Amino acid sequence: MRLVLVGPPGAGKGTQAEVIAARLAVPKISTGDIFRANVGQATPLGLRAKVYMDAGELVPDAVTNDMVADRLSQPDAAHGFLLDGYPRNLGQAEVLNENLENAGAALDAVVELVVDVENVIERLLSRGQGRTDDTEDVIRHRLEVYASETQPLVGYYRERGLLQSVDGLGAVDDVTSRILEALKV
Ligand code: AMP
């Protein structure tokens, strides 16, 4: 299965992506994780991305799209994957489409985790000081960026018959069950 998971920061995407990918035996490809690993190792990509991440902005599409294309071309992603945090805007969605089409592939489904925004802010703030982009100002900005840049993907994928919207509130296991049910797996 080729899947995309979308939802605002703090919706529990990372946790669900981990569980669902394991369950479907596909690699979980999280752009945020790849960027953070690069920041941690101070690679040129990491140094470039950090400025945007710390400000709650999207890393420029050219950088992100190349990074994902490279990851998707690896053998473990040949027969399926779960993308977490990508695409994040319509331009990235178009590039993803083209890349998959060129490889004779296509997405099977896009799962949207639906959560209440105030709830999300509390969840992110309580995640603690582990991430340099988890301060209240940056969180609010990331939510604005989500609303303006990423939310349009919901309509985009709905029009293409790929969207499954799932209630993201509640216990992790309950949300996982809802996602698997929506995917009919
Ligand atoms: P995340 O862990 O998905 O919340 O991502 C953390 C940060 O990494 C984001 O706030 C962005 O700065 C950057 N990032 C992750 N995925 C993308 C993407 N698809 N496009 C641009 N920037 C991204």
Side-chain angles (χ1 to χ4, degrees), residues 31-182:
T31 43
D33 286 352
I34 302 174
F35 282 133
R36 277 184 291 278
N38 276 276
V39 170
Q41 292 160 24
T43 66
L45 175 69
L47 295 176
R48 179 128 194 243
K50 186 174 175 5
V51 185
Y52 298 95
M53 295 170 78
D54 284 348
E57 299 284 349
L58 295 185
V59 177
D61 284 354
V63 176
T64 308
N65 286 329
D66 282 357
M67 182 178 88
V68 174
D70 181 62
R71 179 63 188 89
L72 288 180
S73 72
Q74 290 170 28
D76 67 333
H79 300 292
F81 52 75
L82 194 165
L83 281 167
D84 160 28
Y86 180 92
R88 210 67 158 226
N89 60 30
L90 291 171
Q92 293 181 6
E94 293 286 358
V95 169
L96 175 63
N97 264 352
E98 276 168 36
N99 289 345
L100 289 174
E101 247 174 58
N102 290 339
L107 290 177
D108 293 298
V110 175
V111 174
E112 176 200 16
L113 280 184
V114 181
V115 293
D116 172 72
V117 168
E118 285 309 314
N119 203 292
V120 149
I121 293 177
E122 291 206 353
R123 170 133 81 167
L124 286 172
L125 284 173
S126 70
R127 189 153 80 182
Q129 309 305 314
R131 276 175 57 167
T132 50
D133 59 352
D134 272 352
T135 60
E136 185 157 0
D137 282 355
V138 177
I139 287 169
R140 288 197 184 275
H141 188 58
R142 278 159 57 211
L143 284 163
E144 284 166 14
V145 170
Y146 182 82
S148 62
E149 298 277 319
T150 311
Q151 187 72 42
L153 292 178
V154 169
Y156 175 89
Y157 285 124
R158 187 184 290 122
E159 277 172 22
R160 283 159 181 74
L162 291 171
L163 190 76
Q164 296 287 347
S165 295
V166 171
D167 179 5
L169 277 187
V172 171
D173 287 354
D174 292 341
V175 178
T176 303
S177 302
R178 283 178 214 142
I179 295 174
L180 292 173
E181 204 169 300

